[in-house]
Amino acid sequence: AWSELRFKTNAPDDNGSLYNVGNLGGVWNQTPLGNWTITFEQDANITITTPGGGTLVTNLPPDVVPTFNNTLQVYVGIVPNSTDRIGQFAVLNSVKITGLAPTTPDIDSDFIAQPLDTNVWEVVATSSLGVQQIPNDAAYWVNWTLPALGFGLEGAPTVEGPWKSPKPLGFDVGGIHRVLLTAGDLPGPNAGFWRLIKREFKKLQILLPGETAAPGTATGKTGTPAPQAAGVEFNVVVNAVDDNWNPVTIGYDTVHLASSDEWATLAGDAALNNGTRTFAVTLYSPGEQTITVTDVTDTEKPGDTSKVTITE
């Protein structure tokens, strides 16, 4: 692996200077794995250190230093730079930034099994779905080629079943669908079998705040709807599912919301997008109220109802 230091100034639409006068050199390491550091001293003096201890010592030309005398933004991640590299990935464990201004605290961010600190970091990516939080119990990536419209993953401890769907849905990138499995998703302690199955859109599911989808269960959901304040907007999620409450990604039907609260403010009819849609609703009448979703496009498909308590 190489770490190279390049700079450019006043050239928003031209990267030519990065490869001539803006190229300050690089340093090689036997593996990309490990800690890489870049140190700035007295603004212009720069040292890059590899995991193996190799260094590049260089400096910015004095005339360009004032150009960078502004708020520092740090971007970490990967870019393909070529279409044939789309789909490659890396795991970023942590980032540390020390020695900032006296009034600015140091940054020491861990990303493995930690929620993203949105006070420090935000996701800026062409495909935000490709930025995945990695839990401590991450086990395997399972990949399959696209197109695979409507297909879902199932696992079983034996070839005879029982077959169940893992929780993660995954994401598409570079003509491949990737699913990150955790230890709890593995179908058996010592062996596992996997298959792709095409799911049919059979009915609708509605999830209120506090409810979580639970494919394969009697109701298709777990949890209890959290009480909502009268007159305060909240979101509900509508999903296309199969007979066993597994999500179906090929649903595009138009759906309709209704409520037992005659004063409710409900979002208008709208089509599902890849089998799901989030709607904003506001209920006003105190007590237990229902929210129901029905299929406008295909009235034969069963709808779904959830109850929620509205507080004054």
Side-chain angles (χ1 to χ4, degrees), residues 197-280:
I197 185 170
K198 190 169 186 177
R199 307 194 187 285
E200 295 186 47
F201 179 12
K202 292 292 188 178
K203 55 188 177 183
L204 294 171
Q205 177 189 61
I206 187 168
L207 298 173
L208 273 57
E211 293 183 309
T212 302
T217 62
T219 62
K221 60 184 81 172
T222 60
T224 302
Q228 302 295 320
V232 178
E233 183 179 274
F234 62 96
N235 289 334
V236 302
V237 177
V238 176
N239 295 320
V241 295
D242 68 5
D243 281 331
N244 294 316
W245 303 102
N246 292 293
V248 176
T249 60
I250 57 174
Y252 297 93
D253 289 11
T254 296
V255 299
H256 171 78
L257 293 181
S259 175
S260 59
D261 181 359
E262 62 177 329
W263 304 107
T265 301
L266 305 172
D269 296 357
L272 301 177
N273 182 19
N274 292 325
T276 189
R277 193 175 189 94
T278 300
F279 294 90

Side-chain angles (χ1 to χ4, degrees), residues 97-138:
I97 304 176
T98 61
L100 302 176
T103 58
T104 304
D106 291 342
I107 294 173
D108 188 353
S109 297
D110 292 324
F111 301 112
I112 303 298
Q114 300 289 332
L116 191 69
D117 185 350
T118 55
N119 293 317
V120 178
W121 302 101
E122 63 177 329
V123 176
V124 182
T126 302
S127 176
S128 59
L129 289 177
V131 181
Q132 298 282 304
Q133 290 287 135
I134 308 297
N136 277 331
D137 58 349

Side-chain angles (χ1 to χ4, degrees), residues 160-182:
E160 298 177 349
W163 295 93
K164 296 182 178 181
S165 297
K167 294 179 182 179
L169 298 178
F171 60 95
D172 298 340
V173 61
I176 295 175
H177 187 84
R178 299 185 184 275
V179 175
L180 179 62
L181 299 176
T182 65

Side-chain angles (χ1 to χ4, degrees), residues 16-32:
S17 61
L18 293 176
Y19 300 94
N20 45 67
V21 296
N23 188 348
L24 300 181
V27 58
W28 179 85
N29 195 67
Q30 190 171 3
T31 173

